C-alpha cells in the first residue's frame, strides 16, 4: 500500500489531537483527544487491510517521510515501510489498543441543533493567528439576531484583548464559547452546527472529514427551548 499526500496530511493533523492511533480495517479513520473534547472522523482514499494500533504516530510519519513513494506492508505484528525494490526498509511494531485512548465504537451524531453557520478558511486562519498573538484562550461565535461574529478573547477577563470578524447573518441569538486549544482542525472552510448539549460539529467543505468539539456550556447562551 502507498499513502496519498492527503492521507499523510490527515495523519499529521490527527497526531496533533492524539499521539496514538487505532487504524481500523477499511477506509475510515477516527481519533479522540485524551480529554475527550475533540473527536475527528475521516474517509480516506486507501483501504487498510487489517486493524492495528500505532503508539507514536509522529514517529511513524517521520519514518514514512524518509522514503520517496514508500510501500507499506501490514504484517501480523508490524508495519514494514520500504522502497519498491526493498533495498531500504524500516518496521514499527504495533501496540496494544489497551495502551492508548481510542474513540468509542458508536458513531457520534449531533441532535437538537440550536444554531449553524459557516467559517471560511481565511477567517479561521486569521483568528488563529490573532488569538495566538494575544494569547486568547477562547473563541466565541455570537449572534444578536442580525449578524454572526467570530471573536477571540478571554471570557474570564474583561480587560483582555479582543479580535472580531463578522462571518454571516442569523435571525437567532446565541453565544457559543469554545477553547482555542481545541481548534485542531485541518486547514479549510467548515459548515458548523452547534448543540447546547455541549458539542459543535465542524464539517469540512472539501474533504470528507468531520470534527466534534466540546463547547463551554457554562459560558454559552442560547434562546430558550420551545416547550
Amino acid at each position: 500500500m502507498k499513502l496519498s499526500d492527503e492521507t499523510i496530511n490527515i495523519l499529521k493533523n490527527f497526531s496533533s489531537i492524539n499521539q496514538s492511533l487505532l487504524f481500523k480495517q477499511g477506509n475510515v479513520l477516527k481519533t479522540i483527544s485524551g480529554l475527550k473534547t475533540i473527536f475527528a472522523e475521516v474517509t480516506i482514499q486507501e483501504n487498510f487491510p487489517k486493524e492495528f494500533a500505532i503508539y507514536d504516530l509522529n514517529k511513524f510519519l517521520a519514518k514514512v517521510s524518509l522514503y520517496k513513494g514508500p510501500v507499506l506492508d501490514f504484517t501480523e505484528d508490524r508495519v514494514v515501510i520500504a522502497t519498491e525494490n526493498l533495498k531500504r526498509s524500516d518496521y514499527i511494531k504495533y501496540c496494544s489498543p489497551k495502551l492508548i485512548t481510542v474513540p468509542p465504537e458508536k458513531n457520534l451524531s449531533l441532535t437538537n441543533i440550536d444554531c449553524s453557520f459557516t467559517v471560511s478558511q481565511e477567517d479561521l486562519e486569521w483568528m488563529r493567528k490573532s488569538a495566538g498573538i494575544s494569547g486568547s484562550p477562547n473563541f466565541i461565535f455570537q449572534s444578536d439576531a442580525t449578524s454572526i461574529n467570530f471573536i477571540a478573547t478571554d471570557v474570564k477577563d474583561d480587560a483582555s484583548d479582543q479580535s472580531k470578524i463578522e462571518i454571516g447573518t442569523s435571525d437567532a441569538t446565541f453565544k457559543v464559547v469554545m477553547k482555542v486549544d481545541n481548534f485542531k482542525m485541518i486547514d479549510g472552510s467548515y459548515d458548523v452546527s452547534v448543540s447546547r448539549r455541549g458539542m459543535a460539529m465542524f464539517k469540512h467543505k472539501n474533504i470528507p472529514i468531520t470534527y466534534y468539539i466540546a463547547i463551554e456550556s457554562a459560558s454559552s447562551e442560547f434562546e430558550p427551548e420551545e416547550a
Side-chain angles (χ1 to χ4, degrees), residues 1-2 7 16 22 45 66 84-85 107 115 153 206 219:
M1 174 192 285
K2 290 187 176 183
T7 296
S16 71
L22 176 63
Q45 303 172 28
L66 291 174
E84 290 195 45
N85 60 12
N107 290 332
C115 60
T153 190
N206 300 312
S219 303

Side-chain angles (χ1 to χ4, degrees), residues 7-209:
T7 296
I8 289 174
N9 286 334
I10 289 168
L11 290 174
K12 288 178 180 177
N13 172 249
F14 275 23
S15 71
S16 71
I17 298 172
N18 188 329
Q19 72 163 9
S20 308
L21 185 64
L22 176 63
F23 292 77
K24 289 282 193 176
Q25 183 178 7
N27 65 342
V28 175
L29 297 175
K30 300 178 183 180
T31 191
I32 191 168
S33 64
L35 296 176
K36 300 182 179 180
T37 54
I38 312 168
F39 172 87
E41 179 177 10
V42 63
T43 301
I44 60 172
Q45 303 172 28
E46 300 84 357
N47 272 280
F48 288 98
K50 60 178 297 174
E51 178 178 309
F52 62 96
I54 295 293
Y55 185 81
D56 191 336
L57 189 54
N58 280 315
K59 182 173 71 174
F60 168 74
L61 292 168
K63 288 288 188 180
V64 169
S65 72
L66 291 174
Y67 296 81
K68 184 176 181 179
V71 176
L72 278 61
D73 183 24
F74 303 94
T75 68
E76 184 64 28
D77 66 344
R78 68 195 67 183
V79 53
V80 179
I81 307 161
T83 55
E84 290 195 45
N85 60 12
L86 301 180
K87 288 187 176 181
R88 294 181 181 176
S89 67
D90 281 273
Y91 71 74
I92 295 177
K93 288 284 193 78
Y94 307 143
C95 75
S96 168
K98 296 179 181 179
L99 298 176
I100 65 177
T101 302
V102 300
E105 288 288 341
K106 184 179 179 180
N107 290 332
L108 285 186
S109 61
L110 200 70
T111 57
N112 301 313
I113 295 172
D114 292 288
C115 60
S116 57
F117 45 87
T118 297
V119 182
S120 71
Q121 176 175 341
E122 181 182 10
D123 288 346
L124 186 56
E125 182 179 357
W126 188 86
M127 288 298 285
R128 279 170 162 164
K129 290 179 179 178
S130 186
I133 292 169
S134 296
S136 301
N138 298 114
F139 281 144
I140 303 172
F141 297 97
Q142 188 166 19
S143 171
D144 59 2
T146 302
S147 59
I148 304 172
N149 288 304
F150 185 11
I151 301 165
T153 190
D154 184 345
V155 295
K156 295 182 179 179
D157 183 2
D158 291 338
S160 65
D161 296 348
Q162 184 187 95
S163 305
K164 183 170 70 173
I165 306 174
E166 185 176 326
I167 61 170
T169 60
S170 175
D171 57 4
T173 59
F174 56 83
K175 178 183 178 182
V176 180
V177 180
M178 308 179 74
K179 289 184 177 179
V180 171
D181 286 346
N182 288 336
F183 273 61
K184 295 183 177 180
M185 296 93 75
I186 204 164
D187 288 344
S189 299
Y190 288 86
D191 291 321
V192 186
S193 301
V194 183
S195 169
R196 73 181 70 209
R197 286 162 176 75
M199 193 71 68
M201 180 177 70
F202 288 73
K203 188 173 183 179
H204 200 287
K205 281 185 168 289
N206 300 312
I207 301 172
I209 187 168

